[in-house]
Amino acid sequence: MTKVITYGTFDLLHNGHLRLLERAKKLGDYLIVGVTSEEYDKFRGKINVNQSLIERIEAVKATGLADEIIIEWYEGQKIDDIKRFGIDIFTVGSDWQGKFDYLQEFCQVVYLPRTKGISSSQIRTTSNSLKLGIVGSSTTIAKFITESSYVNGVRVAGVCTTNLMNLPDQLKNLDCVTTDYATLVRKVDAVYLASGPADHYQQIKYALNHQKPVLCELPLTLDVKQNQELLALASAKGVVLDFAIKTAYTTAYNRLIFMLKSGIIGKIVHIDATCTTAALTDFGATQPVNQDWNNLCAWGTKAMLPIFQLLGTNYREKKIITWLTDRQQHYDAYTKINFLYRNAEATLKVGHGVKAAGQLMIVGTEGYVYVPEPWWETEYFEVHYANANTKKFFYGLDGEGIRYEILSFVKAIKNKTANTYLDLGTVNAITKVCGDFDAGLDTVELTVK
Ligand code: CTP
């Protein structure tokens, strides 16, 4: 009996897949199809897959061509499968020509001509076509445009910025570059807001009232009542209002939160989150260029994330200690916040123009977690137990998490699903702290000479 094996993602199964499977089947008597897991696809940079693993397996099964279906979990698995299943022929489409010659050591390798004019990417792009408009400073815009190019079906069509002089070259060919927000909203299907937090409320309201979905950098606004009003408006209009904070979307951070919630270090008693930048291109500590984002809103939102996600939002009290370098604009170079909970406490330290190790430390009754700088875009963390027993975890990250954030937004618009990365409690708690800081509540000011 001749055994054949082939692999693929088989997202939105199409005629190219069918033809490949038919020809693969004819190469022998028994066909095994390896369907890639979500995890493995993410690892090899394929982040856009629309269907779940189960749906893709079901689709391959429904063709009636596979005698057996297996899951491809990891890099290098093909060699193991070929040996284990006693495979005679490995086959894939000619888009992989030469890439799998190394398998000739174990079986015959056949590249079948790829069917022209069709691919999963193409189907995803046509079914998802979304013109996105961005509001913010030039650095944020440039980064966002690069990242959105990794998401099928998303095209940045316009930007709204007050900083028209310093626009990067990549922006010059957009459909619309404007200083007028209403013009941008008219020209695009959805907006991403990286504008100053004080502008968010009006901008979100305007977009929602014009039926345009919004992805907004946290803090959503500086007042929890405004958050609630906007979320109610989004729900009444049936338009997506989603939250951007890149750290929440990275794989390593997500895994860490799930592990900690399932008790890997026992009860959490202390969290220490630090994010600082010695000097910034866009902000700068003592003479901020971008006055719209104070240090607490820019960095503090990220540092609050693990605290609220792990200890909850019902802290008993907080104390804000801050060094304001511009009192009129309420611009802080350094801010520390202590949160006191019934059974735990947490500290965040954030600085622009003040440099400390940007690490995250979480202390529990059975061990501690250490995430090195820059923990907010981490790929790696360590779990330390007694007796010097340490476990190390690594999860690859592409693009600081921004592309996953965009993808989640696109999926939310398409499937009308709620955000699974951030809950409203956390979003509102972040708003409350930023709002209290703005109003000088629970705050002690440092005098630095
Ligand atoms: N294939 C093919 N002809 C096509 C598309 C895919 O023969 N038009 C083959 C691939 O060469 C591979 C298998 O089908 O052997 C599974 O491919 P997969 O990567 O899942 O499909 P694509 O449509 O190429 O997906 P994407 O656009 O996401 O890369």
Side-chain angles (χ1 to χ4, degrees):
M1 182 169 74
T2 306
K3 278 185 155 186
V4 182
I5 198 162
T6 189
Y7 295 85
T9 305
F10 302 104
D11 189 27
L12 308 167
L13 199 106
H14 55 68
N15 194 39
H17 294 144
L18 262 180
R19 288 200 58 233
L20 186 283
L21 292 175
E22 281 164 3
R23 285 171 292 157
K25 175 89 174 175
K26 282 191 189 141
L27 288 174
D29 311 300
Y30 190 84
L31 175 65
I32 301 179
V33 180
V35 181
T36 49
S37 70
E38 278 131 10
E39 203 60 7
Y40 180 54
D41 269 331
K42 229 176 177 185
F43 168 80
R44 60 192 190 125
K46 209 169 185 173
I47 63 163
N48 282 302
V49 179
N50 267 23
Q51 292 182 297
S52 69
L53 174 60
I54 299 290
E55 287 170 323
R56 291 180 285 119
I57 290 175
E58 285 301 328
V60 171
K61 199 169 161 191
T63 65
L65 293 163
D67 296 290
E68 192 172 342
I69 299 175
I70 58 166
I71 299 170
E72 187 180 24
W73 297 104
Y74 62 92
E75 181 82 10
Q77 184 183 321
K78 291 184 181 75
I79 297 175
D80 195 21
D81 290 342
I82 288 166
K83 287 187 179 171
R84 246 169 357 111
F85 293 111
I87 298 296
D88 302 288
I89 301 173
F90 166 89
T91 185
V92 274
S94 54
D95 43 322
W96 295 98
Q97 189 71 44
K99 294 259 170 50
F100 293 106
D101 288 357
Y102 70 90
L103 294 174
Q104 279 163 358
E105 188 186 333
F106 310 98
C107 67
Q108 190 188 339
V109 174
V110 176
Y111 298 102
L112 293 167
R114 184 180 164 92
T115 305
K116 290 203 171 65
I118 188 153
S119 74
S120 303
S121 308
Q122 195 187 60
I123 300 173
R124 287 190 294 260
T125 302
T126 4
S127 71
N128 275 346
S129 177
L130 185 80
K131 282 192 284 172
L132 203 57
I134 313 179
V135 188
S137 70
S138 52
T139 340
T140 334
I141 291 172
K143 221 179 224 182
F144 202 85
I145 292 185
T146 309
E147 283 298 302
S148 61
S149 68
Y150 291 94
V151 183
N152 285 156
V154 171
R155 183 170 73 83
V156 173
V159 299
C160 172
T161 181
T162 45
N163 199 0
L164 283 177
M165 301 300 290
N166 294 327
L167 285 183
D169 284 347
Q170 66 184 128
L171 310 193
K172 301 217 166 114
N173 300 327
L174 300 183
D175 301 355
C176 156
V177 177
T178 177
T179 52
D180 178 38
Y181 181 63
T183 305
L184 179 81
V185 171
R186 208 171 45 245
K187 299 243 165 127
V188 297
D189 302 323
V191 286
Y192 162 64
L193 299 180
S195 45
D199 296 328
H200 289 176
Y201 173 75
Q202 291 299 348
Q203 289 174 340
I204 295 171
K205 200 168 170 180
Y206 187 87
L208 293 177
N209 276 326
H210 288 78
Q211 294 295 126
K212 303 288 163 89
V214 178
L215 173 65
C216 181
E217 279 294 335
L218 294 185
L220 195 62
T221 70
L222 295 170
D223 179 348
V224 175
K225 278 204 189 107
Q226 289 188 343
N227 283 6
Q228 284 158 347
E229 184 196 324
L230 293 171
L231 288 158
L233 178 64
S235 150
K237 296 262 175 200
V239 183
V240 170
L241 169 54
D242 212 346
F243 321 115
I245 182 159
K246 62 183 184 184
T247 306
Y249 295 85
T250 66
T251 309
Y253 176 81
N254 258 289
R255 291 297 159 87
L256 173 63
I257 297 295
F258 291 143
M259 282 184 198
L260 288 164
K261 278 185 187 278
S262 56
I264 51 160
I265 56 166
K267 281 197 184 321
I268 297 170
V269 294
H270 170 72
I271 298 176
D272 192 335
T274 303
C275 310
T276 67
T277 320
L280 278 186
T281 45
D282 230 29
F283 294 35
T286 44
Q287 289 212 315
V289 177
N290 186 345
Q291 300 264 12
D292 296 340
W293 284 86
N294 61 27
N295 171 38
L296 185 75
C297 284
W299 270 135
T301 44
K302 291 173 190 70
M304 280 180 239
L305 200 60
I307 297 175
F308 292 145
Q309 287 190 315
L310 290 168
L311 298 179
T313 55
N314 286 328
Y315 52 86
R316 290 161 70 184
E317 59 179 73
K318 69 174 176 307
K319 186 175 197 176
I320 305 175
I321 302 158
T322 190
W323 168 30
L324 297 178
T325 46
D326 183 337
R327 295 185 99 189
Q328 231 175 353
Q329 301 282 343
H330 213 72
Y331 189 88
D332 55 320
Y334 173 77
T335 296
K336 173 179 170 177
I337 307 183
N338 293 328
F339 294 95
L340 186 65
Y341 288 78
R342 195 161 293 281
N343 302 310
E345 54 90 26
T347 301
L348 71 79
K349 288 180 247 97
V350 290
H352 278 169
V354 169
K355 187 68 193 143
Q359 58 194 33
L360 173 65
M361 181 75 89
I362 299 161
V363 179
T365 48
E366 289 160 30
Y368 72 91
V369 164
Y370 167 70
V371 193
E373 179 169 0
W375 71 263
W376 51 91
E377 50 191 62
T378 193
E379 298 189 308
Y380 170 80
F381 58 87
E382 295 170 4
V383 184
H384 294 253
Y385 294 104
N387 311 324
N389 179 7
T390 304
K391 286 188 178 152
K392 297 176 182 181
F393 296 85
F394 182 88
Y395 302 93
L397 170 68
D398 295 308
E400 302 175 21
I402 296 172
R403 66 189 66 169
Y404 305 120
E405 181 175 270
I406 303 172
L407 189 62
S408 165
F409 180 51
V410 173
K411 281 191 174 165
I413 295 173
K414 194 168 172 239
N415 308 328
K416 297 252 179 272
T417 46
N419 189 313
T420 52
Y421 293 88
L422 282 158
D423 62 288
L424 288 181
T426 301
V427 172
N428 284 334
I430 288 175
T431 286
K432 170 135 181 58
V433 174
C434 292
D436 286 355
F437 174 74
D438 231 37
L441 287 176
D442 302 330
T443 304
V444 178
E445 242 188 83
L446 286 179
T447 315
V448 181
K449 297 226 170 180

